[in-house]
Amino acid sequence: RLVSKDGRCNIEFGNVEQSRFVFLLDIWTTILDLRWRYKMTIFISAFLGSWFLFGLLWYVVAYIHKDLPEFNPSINHTPCVENINGLTSAFLFSLETQVTIGYGFRCVTEQCATAIFLLIFQSILGVIINSFMCGAILAKISRSKNRAKTITFSKNAVISKRGGKLCLLIRVANLRKSLLIGSHIYGKLLKTTITPEGETIILDQVNIEFIVDAGNENLFFISPLTIYHIIDKNSPFFHMAAETILQQDFELVVFLDGTVEATSATCQVRTSYIPEEVLWGYRFAPIVSKTKEGKYRVDFQNFSK
């Protein structure tokens, strides 16, 4: 199938002529799309690399100014940075400078303009690195893709009569009490078609209109909804029957778009159904009931039954 049950797209790109450099131009999106293990590797490497690089620069400043113990500085000698005795102490000073720890043991003096410039440059660059990497982590955590995982579709679609009309029905539920604002549900039927000119079109897309009793726009998505597609003469399912549906070659992809109430970010949830997952002549079991205390209870054990 093109779209898995959890919404991931089964497709790969080959022989792309575009240079990979264009992905570096949009480094923000590239970082956000990375998997967590690669993102954390970049996160740690960015900080450790900058600390070590500036540690080397601080060591060079101390070496040029002859502040290190091997030069046997005089008692009246004023170093550029107090208490830098080697590469390790230079690294520790770089770390303290960039993350603004400020232990007070090592500090810059007014002896060297180079050291003052390096301090300012590292402080500014440290703020940029910290803002970018922490922002990337926060954006990754709060992506609407994670909110989509709490929207679930029924394992199967069913075909039965509803309101005297033959319909294809799918059940969808919001597992959180927070709503999706402005939700909209639609579908695409993917199949291979042959044009009158003899051209074979793989993954030809046909629009599938779904209806919800509460209306297609601005769904009150607090409890599970049953969406349905009316099988009439304009429907691609019109020429199918219970005996022939398993012989068909199609994939029904269902989309749910909405805005996350908590973050105002747009969210899309996807799933798909192949002929073996469309059951003809079935109905969904009821799952909403009312308790003695007056609350409405949703039994998700029967969600896909």
Side-chain angles (χ1 to χ4, degrees), residues 1-4 7-12 203 251:
R1 59 172 91 228
L2 175 67
V3 179
S4 64
R8 291 177 297 177
C9 294
N10 180 29
I11 192 169
E12 64 178 30
L203 299 179
E251 180 178 349

Side-chain angles (χ1 to χ4, degrees), residues 189-193 204 240 244-252 273-276:
L189 188 70
L190 309 179
K191 60 180 180 178
T192 300
T193 59
D204 186 25
M240 300 183 191
T244 62
I245 190 169
L246 294 178
Q247 302 170 8
Q248 303 293 325
D249 183 19
F250 68 84
E251 180 178 349
L252 174 62
Y273 300 91
I274 56 178
E276 291 79 6

